[in-house]
Amino acid sequence: MKIVIIGSSGHINYAIEGIGLDKECEVVGVAPGSKGESIDKVLNMLGENFKGKVYGDYEVMLEELSPDVAVVACHFGDIAKVNIKALSYGCHVFTEKPLATTMEDLKALKRVYYQSGKRLCAMFGIRYKPWFFTAYKFVREGAIGEIRLINTQKSYKLGRRDEFYKKERLMVELFHGWEFML
């Protein structure tokens, strides 16, 4: 499989670790997905064995390489736009989350996804860790009764996050997009 990586933010390690386990997978290109985004992190993770091409524009990369899979890990305010482009170019997409930060972007992404016939999978890397899978199994078996509400939170220290996480406009867009869940 020919794989391209768009962006270098978030949990890109999920993809790179998985790609490394399959000798039939090859990263053929890397490009930023957001304006001003550095792709140094992903290039460092791929190491000196990376034989693909580095692009400045992910759309040019998608068009030239016609990859099977696009791994999208750009700034979260751009994820929906990049996912839509990758699906439009005929790629399966393994993407950072959230899939969209506005309801309009989510609707557009859903429309393109259903038309594409491709797979769209979010990076939920800890979903099958033993502790989560055990809890899921007990819930599914009815061991704790009927669930009516679940609240969860996973926090990161702001000081350890990339600069784009500190942009107020993006944070407002992110949380505004989730109002439909209230």
Side-chain angles (χ1 to χ4, degrees):
M1 275 193 297
K2 294 190 318 185
I3 301 170
V4 296
I5 299 177
I6 303 171
S8 188
S9 304
H11 299 93
I12 195 70
N13 59 302
Y14 293 156
I16 292 174
E17 290 166 7
I19 292 166
L21 297 174
D22 190 337
K23 298 202 184 304
E24 294 183 25
C25 292
E26 178 185 12
V27 177
V28 295
V30 175
S34 298
K35 184 178 178 183
E37 181 181 26
S38 170
I39 56 171
D40 291 344
K41 176 181 169 184
V42 73
L43 292 173
N44 288 334
M45 292 177 80
L46 290 169
E48 57 190 48
N49 292 332
F50 173 59
K51 306 289 187 244
K53 187 173 175 185
V54 175
Y55 288 80
D57 183 324
Y58 70 89
E59 286 190 66
V60 172
M61 178 177 69
L62 290 169
E63 189 170 326
E64 285 184 9
L65 298 178
S66 299
D68 300 302
V69 178
V71 175
V72 177
C74 57
H75 299 172
F76 52 74
D78 297 323
I79 290 173
K81 174 185 73 168
V82 176
N83 286 340
I84 288 168
K85 287 290 184 184
L87 288 167
S88 296
Y89 276 97
C91 303
H92 298 288
V93 176
F94 182 56
T95 183
E96 186 56 90
K97 57 218 174 299
L99 295 181
T101 57
T102 67
M103 290 304 294
E104 293 79 25
D105 284 349
L106 182 59
K107 288 175 186 174
L109 177 60
K110 286 173 71 173
R111 185 175 53 256
V112 171
Y113 164 71
Y114 286 118
Q115 292 171 351
S116 73
K118 299 298 177 181
R119 294 182 186 238
L120 174 65
C121 179
M123 295 180 186
F124 290 109
I126 60 176
R127 181 178 182 179
Y128 290 105
K129 292 289 185 185
W131 49 89
F132 287 117
F133 195 68
T134 300
Y136 167 75
K137 181 181 163 194
F138 283 127
V139 169
R140 188 183 66 217
E141 293 171 355
I144 63 170
E146 182 181 347
I147 304 265
R148 295 182 182 249
L149 175 67
I150 295 177
N151 290 313
T152 64
Q153 178 178 339
K154 182 176 180 189
S155 299
Y156 297 93
K157 292 180 181 179
L158 185 58
R160 298 186 57 177
R161 304 297 280 167
D162 291 329
E163 267 315 298
F164 76 90
Y165 287 102
K166 300 173 188 175
K167 303 261 190 272
E168 181 182 355
R169 180 188 62 79
L170 293 175
M171 295 305 286
V172 169
E173 286 179 12
L174 173 65
F175 292 111
H176 175 74
W178 295 105
E179 287 179 353
F180 69 95
M181 296 180 70
L182 300 176

